[in-house]
Amino acid sequence: MALAVWYMCCCMYLCPATAEIVANSSSCREELCGQFAALLGGDQLSAEFLLLSLLSTVYARHDTSVIGKFSLNLSNVPRDVSTQLVGQLSTALQTIVPKFYSMPMSLEHLNNKSLCPKKDYAANRLVTGQLQLSDGTVVLLDETALSEGQLNERGIANIMAINSVLSRQHLAYDFQYQTVDFPTNINGIVVSEGKSILQTDCQVPVEIQADVPAANVLTATQLNMLRSYLTAVQRIDYDLPADVQKHLQDDFVAMRKDNPEGVNAETFHRLLLLSRLLSLSRGQRLLDVTTWNDAKKLETLRCARVASNPATAAATQ
Protein backbone atom coordinates (compact mmCIF):
# COMPACT_ATOMS: atom_id res chain seq x y z
CA MET A 1 0.00 0.00 0.00
CA ALA A 2 2.79 2.38 0.91
CA LEU A 3 4.44 1.61 -2.43
CA ALA A 4 1.27 2.58 -4.30
CA VAL A 5 1.10 5.86 -2.42
CA TRP A 6 4.77 6.52 -3.07
CA TYR A 7 4.21 6.34 -6.79
CA MET A 8 1.75 9.19 -6.63
CA CYS A 9 4.43 11.61 -5.47
CA CYS A 10 5.83 13.46 -8.44
CA CYS A 11 8.81 15.73 -7.98
CA MET A 12 8.81 18.48 -10.58
CA TYR A 13 10.51 21.85 -10.45
CA LEU A 14 8.33 24.96 -10.35
CA CYS A 15 10.22 28.04 -11.53
CA PRO A 16 9.53 31.33 -9.73
CA ALA A 17 8.07 32.87 -12.93
CA THR A 18 5.02 30.61 -12.67
CA ALA A 19 4.34 31.18 -8.97
CA GLU A 20 1.85 33.99 -9.62
CA ILE A 21 -0.09 31.86 -12.12
CA VAL A 22 -0.30 28.99 -9.64
CA ALA A 23 -1.49 31.45 -6.98
CA ASN A 24 -4.38 32.37 -9.30
CA SER A 25 -5.30 28.73 -9.93
CA SER A 26 -8.77 29.11 -8.45
CA SER A 27 -9.94 31.69 -10.98
CA CYS A 28 -8.29 29.87 -13.92
CA ARG A 29 -9.82 26.60 -12.86
CA GLU A 30 -13.28 28.13 -12.55
CA GLU A 31 -13.00 29.77 -15.98
CA LEU A 32 -11.85 26.59 -17.71
CA CYS A 33 -14.55 24.45 -16.11
CA GLY A 34 -17.13 27.04 -17.15
CA GLN A 35 -15.83 27.05 -20.72
CA PHE A 36 -15.81 23.26 -20.93
CA ALA A 37 -19.27 22.96 -19.40
CA ALA A 38 -20.68 25.34 -22.02
CA LEU A 39 -19.15 23.17 -24.76
CA LEU A 40 -20.49 19.98 -23.16
CA GLY A 41 -24.13 20.98 -22.93
CA GLY A 42 -23.87 22.57 -19.49
CA ASP A 43 -22.48 19.41 -17.87
CA GLN A 44 -20.26 20.49 -14.96
CA LEU A 45 -19.18 16.95 -14.03
CA SER A 46 -17.91 16.17 -17.53
CA ALA A 47 -16.15 19.53 -17.59
CA GLU A 48 -14.40 18.72 -14.31
CA PHE A 49 -13.12 15.37 -15.57
CA LEU A 50 -12.04 16.92 -18.87
CA LEU A 51 -9.86 19.41 -17.02
CA LEU A 52 -8.31 16.67 -14.88
CA SER A 53 -7.57 14.61 -17.98
CA LEU A 54 -5.79 17.56 -19.60
CA LEU A 55 -3.58 17.91 -16.51
CA SER A 56 -2.56 14.25 -16.50
CA THR A 57 0.87 13.12 -17.65
CA VAL A 58 2.92 9.94 -17.43
CA TYR A 59 5.52 10.50 -14.74
CA ALA A 60 6.61 6.96 -13.88
CA ARG A 61 6.77 3.51 -15.44
CA HIS A 62 7.16 0.34 -13.39
CA ASP A 63 7.34 -2.93 -15.31
CA THR A 64 4.09 -2.90 -17.30
CA SER A 65 2.44 -0.21 -15.18
CA VAL A 66 2.20 3.34 -16.49
CA ILE A 67 1.66 5.87 -13.69
CA GLY A 68 -0.15 9.15 -14.28
CA LYS A 69 -2.08 8.54 -17.50
CA PHE A 70 -5.78 9.42 -17.44
CA SER A 71 -7.47 8.94 -20.81
CA LEU A 72 -11.11 10.02 -20.85
CA ASN A 73 -14.21 8.72 -22.61
CA LEU A 74 -16.96 11.32 -22.91
CA SER A 75 -19.86 9.02 -23.78
CA ASN A 76 -23.62 9.48 -24.26
CA VAL A 77 -23.13 12.12 -26.99
CA PRO A 78 -26.04 11.81 -29.48
CA ARG A 79 -25.11 11.73 -33.16
CA ASP A 80 -27.43 14.65 -33.94
CA VAL A 81 -25.29 16.97 -31.81
CA SER A 82 -21.93 15.21 -31.98
CA THR A 83 -20.61 17.06 -35.03
CA GLN A 84 -21.18 20.45 -33.41
CA LEU A 85 -19.96 19.33 -29.99
CA VAL A 86 -16.78 17.72 -31.32
CA GLY A 87 -16.10 20.68 -33.59
CA GLN A 88 -16.46 23.23 -30.80
CA LEU A 89 -14.44 21.10 -28.38
CA SER A 90 -11.70 20.69 -30.98
CA THR A 91 -11.55 24.44 -31.58
CA ALA A 92 -11.38 25.18 -27.86
CA LEU A 93 -8.69 22.61 -27.09
CA GLN A 94 -6.38 23.62 -29.92
CA THR A 95 -6.69 27.18 -28.66
CA ILE A 96 -5.56 26.50 -25.08
CA VAL A 97 -3.28 23.43 -25.12
CA PRO A 98 0.26 23.56 -26.54
CA LYS A 99 -0.14 20.51 -28.81
CA PHE A 100 -3.37 19.12 -30.20
CA TYR A 101 -4.47 16.54 -32.76
CA SER A 102 -8.00 15.59 -33.80
CA MET A 103 -8.82 12.25 -35.42
CA PRO A 104 -12.19 11.08 -36.79
CA MET A 105 -12.68 7.37 -36.18
CA SER A 106 -14.62 6.75 -39.37
CA LEU A 107 -14.37 3.47 -41.25
CA GLU A 108 -12.74 5.28 -44.15
CA HIS A 109 -10.11 6.81 -41.91
CA LEU A 110 -9.35 3.62 -39.98
CA ASN A 111 -9.25 1.42 -43.07
CA ASN A 112 -7.03 3.70 -45.15
CA LYS A 113 -4.76 5.76 -42.92
CA SER A 114 -1.48 4.68 -41.33
CA LEU A 115 -1.46 5.41 -37.61
CA CYS A 116 1.84 3.65 -36.84
CA PRO A 117 5.24 4.62 -38.29
CA LYS A 118 6.59 2.18 -40.88
CA LYS A 119 10.06 1.72 -42.30
CA ASP A 120 10.29 2.20 -46.08
CA TYR A 121 13.37 0.22 -47.02
CA ALA A 122 13.22 1.27 -50.68
CA ALA A 123 13.53 4.93 -49.71
CA ASN A 124 15.52 4.09 -46.57
CA ARG A 125 13.35 6.25 -44.35
CA LEU A 126 10.72 5.95 -41.65
CA VAL A 127 7.25 6.92 -42.86
CA THR A 128 5.42 8.88 -40.18
CA GLY A 129 2.23 7.52 -38.65
CA GLN A 130 -0.59 9.73 -37.36
CA LEU A 131 -0.06 8.57 -33.77
CA GLN A 132 3.63 9.45 -33.90
CA LEU A 133 3.10 12.49 -31.69
CA SER A 134 5.32 14.31 -29.24
CA ASP A 135 4.87 14.02 -25.48
CA GLY A 136 2.04 16.07 -24.04
CA THR A 137 -0.08 16.08 -27.20
CA VAL A 138 -3.83 16.07 -26.57
CA VAL A 139 -5.58 13.72 -29.02
CA LEU A 140 -9.34 14.06 -29.56
CA LEU A 141 -10.82 10.86 -31.01
CA ASP A 142 -14.30 11.21 -32.51
CA GLU A 143 -15.86 7.75 -32.23
CA THR A 144 -19.29 9.13 -33.17
CA ALA A 145 -17.97 9.19 -36.75
CA LEU A 146 -17.77 5.38 -36.73
CA SER A 147 -20.62 3.85 -38.74
CA GLU A 148 -21.68 0.28 -39.39
CA GLY A 149 -19.40 -1.61 -41.72
CA GLN A 150 -16.36 -3.85 -41.95
CA LEU A 151 -12.90 -3.03 -40.65
CA ASN A 152 -10.18 -4.35 -42.92
CA GLU A 153 -6.80 -5.62 -41.75
CA ARG A 154 -5.39 -2.10 -41.50
CA GLY A 155 -8.46 -0.86 -39.66
CA ILE A 156 -8.15 -3.59 -37.04
CA ALA A 157 -4.43 -2.84 -36.66
CA ASN A 158 -5.22 0.86 -36.22
CA ILE A 159 -7.77 0.15 -33.47
CA MET A 160 -5.15 -1.98 -31.71
CA ALA A 161 -2.60 0.82 -32.07
CA ILE A 162 -4.96 3.39 -30.53
CA ASN A 163 -5.72 1.01 -27.66
CA SER A 164 -2.02 0.45 -27.09
CA VAL A 165 -1.43 4.19 -26.77
CA LEU A 166 -4.43 4.76 -24.49
CA SER A 167 -3.94 1.74 -22.21
CA ARG A 168 -0.17 1.14 -22.24
CA GLN A 169 1.23 4.41 -23.62
CA HIS A 170 3.22 2.50 -26.22
CA LEU A 171 3.24 2.87 -30.01
CA ALA A 172 4.52 0.07 -32.25
CA TYR A 173 6.95 1.05 -35.03
CA ASP A 174 6.73 -1.31 -38.01
CA PHE A 175 10.17 -2.35 -39.30
CA GLN A 176 8.60 -4.99 -41.60
CA TYR A 177 10.42 -7.95 -40.06
CA GLN A 178 9.60 -6.92 -36.52
CA THR A 179 7.75 -4.26 -34.55
CA VAL A 180 9.36 -2.22 -31.79
CA ASP A 181 7.34 -0.52 -29.06
CA PHE A 182 8.30 3.05 -28.17
CA PRO A 183 6.92 4.84 -25.09
CA THR A 184 4.40 7.64 -25.57
CA ASN A 185 2.89 10.29 -23.30
CA ILE A 186 -0.34 11.30 -25.00
CA ASN A 187 -3.55 12.64 -23.45
CA GLY A 188 -6.42 10.77 -25.08
CA ILE A 189 -10.00 12.08 -25.10
CA VAL A 190 -12.64 9.92 -26.79
CA VAL A 191 -16.11 11.22 -27.68
CA SER A 192 -18.63 8.44 -28.26
CA GLU A 193 -22.36 7.75 -28.35
CA GLY A 194 -22.27 4.64 -26.15
CA LYS A 195 -19.41 3.29 -24.12
CA SER A 196 -16.27 3.55 -26.23
CA ILE A 197 -14.85 0.48 -27.95
CA LEU A 198 -11.45 1.82 -26.88
CA GLN A 199 -9.75 1.11 -23.57
CA THR A 200 -9.86 4.38 -21.64
CA ASP A 201 -9.06 5.01 -18.00
CA CYS A 202 -12.29 6.82 -17.21
CA GLN A 203 -15.78 7.02 -18.68
CA VAL A 204 -18.14 9.93 -18.04
CA PRO A 205 -21.59 9.92 -19.71
CA VAL A 206 -22.30 13.48 -20.80
CA GLU A 207 -25.64 14.91 -19.72
CA ILE A 208 -26.58 17.56 -22.28
CA GLN A 209 -29.04 20.17 -21.07
CA ALA A 210 -31.34 22.38 -23.11
CA ASP A 211 -30.78 26.10 -23.68
CA VAL A 212 -27.21 26.26 -22.40
CA PRO A 213 -25.64 29.74 -22.57
CA ALA A 214 -22.70 30.06 -24.94
CA ALA A 215 -19.20 30.09 -23.55
CA ASN A 216 -17.71 33.45 -22.64
CA VAL A 217 -15.55 35.07 -25.29
CA LEU A 218 -12.03 35.15 -23.90
CA THR A 219 -9.59 37.99 -24.41
CA ALA A 220 -6.01 37.38 -25.52
CA THR A 221 -4.85 38.05 -21.95
CA GLN A 222 -7.30 35.50 -20.53
CA LEU A 223 -6.26 32.89 -23.09
CA ASN A 224 -2.61 33.33 -22.25
CA MET A 225 -3.38 33.01 -18.55
CA LEU A 226 -5.31 29.77 -19.08
CA ARG A 227 -2.55 28.33 -21.27
CA SER A 228 0.05 29.21 -18.67
CA TYR A 229 -2.12 27.74 -15.92
CA LEU A 230 -2.40 24.34 -17.63
CA THR A 231 1.36 24.20 -18.07
CA ALA A 232 2.30 25.59 -14.67
CA VAL A 233 0.20 23.35 -12.44
CA GLN A 234 1.63 20.23 -14.08
CA ARG A 235 5.07 21.32 -12.80
CA ILE A 236 4.04 21.67 -9.19
CA ASP A 237 6.28 19.71 -6.82
CA TYR A 238 3.41 17.49 -5.69
CA ASP A 239 3.77 15.56 -2.45
CA LEU A 240 1.70 13.48 -0.08
CA PRO A 241 2.29 14.24 3.63
CA ALA A 242 2.79 11.28 5.97
CA ASP A 243 -0.29 12.08 8.05
CA VAL A 244 -2.49 12.30 4.96
CA GLN A 245 -1.03 9.06 3.66
CA LYS A 246 -2.02 7.37 6.90
CA HIS A 247 -5.53 8.82 6.61
CA LEU A 248 -5.86 7.54 3.05
CA GLN A 249 -4.80 4.05 4.03
CA ASP A 250 -7.23 3.95 6.97
CA ASP A 251 -10.01 5.34 4.80
CA PHE A 252 -9.39 2.71 2.13
CA VAL A 253 -9.57 -0.06 4.74
CA ALA A 254 -12.91 1.36 5.93
CA MET A 255 -14.18 1.57 2.34
CA ARG A 256 -13.24 -2.07 1.75
CA LYS A 257 -15.05 -3.07 4.93
CA ASP A 258 -18.22 -1.24 3.91
CA ASN A 259 -18.15 -2.47 0.30
CA PRO A 260 -15.81 -5.48 -0.09
CA GLU A 261 -17.07 -6.36 -3.57
CA GLY A 262 -17.11 -2.86 -5.05
CA VAL A 263 -13.86 -1.47 -3.64
CA ASN A 264 -10.50 -2.93 -4.61
CA ALA A 265 -6.91 -1.90 -5.31
CA GLU A 266 -7.94 -0.43 -8.66
CA THR A 267 -10.45 1.81 -6.87
CA PHE A 268 -7.73 3.08 -4.56
CA HIS A 269 -5.32 3.78 -7.43
CA ARG A 270 -8.00 5.69 -9.32
CA LEU A 271 -8.79 7.81 -6.25
CA LEU A 272 -5.11 8.49 -5.68
CA LEU A 273 -4.76 9.72 -9.26
CA LEU A 274 -7.94 11.79 -9.09
CA SER A 275 -6.77 13.35 -5.82
CA ARG A 276 -3.42 14.21 -7.33
CA LEU A 277 -4.95 15.82 -10.42
CA LEU A 278 -7.57 17.65 -8.36
CA SER A 279 -4.88 18.96 -6.03
CA LEU A 280 -2.78 20.18 -8.97
CA SER A 281 -5.79 21.82 -10.59
CA ARG A 282 -6.24 23.83 -7.40
CA GLY A 283 -2.60 24.86 -7.36
CA GLN A 284 -1.92 22.83 -4.23
CA ARG A 285 1.47 21.20 -3.74
CA LEU A 286 0.37 19.02 -0.85
CA LEU A 287 -2.62 16.72 -0.90
CA ASP A 288 -5.01 17.35 1.99
CA VAL A 289 -7.96 15.42 3.37
CA THR A 290 -10.46 17.90 1.89
CA THR A 291 -9.19 17.32 -1.63
CA TRP A 292 -9.17 13.55 -1.06
CA ASN A 293 -12.81 13.69 0.03
CA ASP A 294 -13.70 15.89 -2.94
CA ALA A 295 -12.09 13.36 -5.27
CA LYS A 296 -14.17 10.61 -3.68
CA LYS A 297 -17.33 12.67 -4.26
CA LEU A 298 -16.43 13.19 -7.92
CA GLU A 299 -15.86 9.47 -8.39
CA THR A 300 -19.13 8.63 -6.61
CA LEU A 301 -21.06 10.99 -8.90
CA ARG A 302 -19.34 9.56 -11.96
CA CYS A 303 -20.04 5.94 -10.99
CA ALA A 304 -23.68 6.74 -10.22
CA ARG A 305 -24.08 8.38 -13.62
CA VAL A 306 -22.50 5.42 -15.43
CA ALA A 307 -24.79 3.00 -13.57
CA SER A 308 -27.92 5.04 -14.31
CA ASN A 309 -27.19 5.64 -18.00
CA PRO A 310 -29.02 3.05 -20.17
CA ALA A 311 -26.32 3.00 -22.86
CA THR A 312 -23.53 2.51 -20.36
CA ALA A 313 -25.12 0.60 -17.49
CA ALA A 314 -22.94 -2.43 -18.22
CA ALA A 315 -19.74 -0.40 -18.09
CA THR A 316 -17.28 -1.18 -15.36
CA GLN A 317 -15.16 1.96 -15.63
Side-chain angles (χ1 to χ4, degrees):
M1 190 68 67
L3 183 61
V5 173
W6 180 84
Y7 278 132
M8 300 309 296
C9 301
C10 179
C11 296
M12 294 184 178
Y13 174 67
L14 179 63
C15 65
T18 64
E20 183 178 353
I21 296 172
V22 172
N24 293 324
S25 293
S26 179
S27 59
C28 291
R29 187 182 191 285
E30 182 179 357
E31 182 61 50
L32 275 175
C33 284
Q35 291 285 325
F36 293 155
L39 298 174
L40 296 171
D43 188 351
Q44 292 289 341
L45 184 65
S46 295
E48 184 89 31
F49 275 92
L50 176 57
L51 174 59
L52 299 185
S53 179
L54 293 178
L55 295 179
S56 65
T57 184
V58 175
Y59 60 85
R61 297 175 188 265
H62 180 70
D63 295 332
T64 59
S65 299
V66 183
I67 314 300
K69 68 182 183 70
F70 192 60
S71 56
L72 177 66
N73 173 207
L74 294 171
S75 63
N76 199 40
V77 177
R79 290 184 182 270
D80 59 342
V81 300
S82 63
T83 300
Q84 180 181 4
L85 186 147
V86 171
Q88 292 178 342
L89 187 58
S90 178
T91 300
L93 291 177
Q94 64 184 313
T95 301
I96 63 172
V97 299
K99 291 172 284 188
F100 176 80
Y101 187 72
S102 179
M103 182 186 302
M105 287 185 58
S106 63
L107 280 176
E108 181 182 4
H109 193 97
L110 293 171
N111 285 338
N112 295 286
K113 301 297 182 179
S114 296
L115 302 191
C116 295
K118 184 175 182 179
K119 180 64 180 288
D120 182 348
Y121 285 93
N124 194 28
R125 69 187 184 92
L126 188 67
V127 180
T128 302
Q130 292 187 351
L131 287 177
Q132 189 180 355
L133 303 167
S134 60
D135 288 353
T137 300
V138 174
V139 178
L140 181 64
L141 298 159
D142 180 13
E143 194 178 304
T144 65
L146 185 62
S147 58
E148 292 185 3
Q150 187 71 33
L151 285 171
N152 60 21
E153 184 177 351
R154 173 173 288 185
I156 294 173
N158 283 335
I159 290 290
M160 293 175 63
I162 297 172
N163 270 330
S164 179
V165 169
L166 294 180
S167 63
R168 301 191 302 120
Q169 286 293 335
H170 274 103
L171 179 63
Y173 284 49
D174 184 1
F175 290 96
Q176 187 174 343
Y177 304 105
Q178 66 173 343
T179 59
V180 179
D181 283 347
F182 284 85
T184 61
N185 190 358
I186 293 173
N187 298 63
I189 299 168
V190 184
V191 179
S192 62
E193 186 173 15
K195 182 177 183 288
S196 176
I197 62 174
L198 301 173
Q199 300 172 18
T200 58
D201 297 306
C202 178
Q203 177 199 5
V204 182
V206 179
E207 293 188 350
I208 297 177
Q209 304 168 16
D211 301 324
V212 177
N216 297 328
V217 177
L218 300 175
T219 65
T221 300
Q222 289 175 313
L223 279 172
N224 287 333
M225 178 65 74
L226 296 180
R227 292 168 185 150
S228 299
Y229 160 78
L230 289 173
T231 302
V233 294
Q234 281 188 328
R235 299 177 180 175
I236 291 177
D237 183 18
Y238 176 79
D239 201 359
L240 207 166
D243 59 329
V244 178
Q245 178 177 332
K246 178 64 166 56
H247 175 85
L248 268 54
Q249 293 174 345
D250 293 342
D251 196 15
F252 175 66
V253 171
M255 291 166 61
R256 283 291 301 270
K257 184 177 180 180
D258 293 337
N259 187 9
E261 295 184 0
V263 177
N264 51 33
E266 182 180 349
T267 306
F268 187 58
H269 285 291
R270 186 195 301 275
L271 288 174
L272 283 173
L273 180 55
L274 281 176
S275 299
R276 177 182 185 274
L277 295 173
L278 189 57
S279 183
L280 294 179
S281 75
R282 294 173 172 178
Q284 298 172 351
R285 190 181 77 83
L286 301 177
L287 178 64
D288 55 31
V289 174
T290 298
T291 302
W292 165 257
N293 289 332
D294 288 343
K296 288 171 59 180
K297 292 176 184 177
L298 281 176
E299 180 65 359
T300 298
L301 290 172
R302 185 193 72 82
C303 290
R305 183 177 292 188
V306 169
S308 63
N309 190 279
T312 58
T316 58
Q317 291 188 1

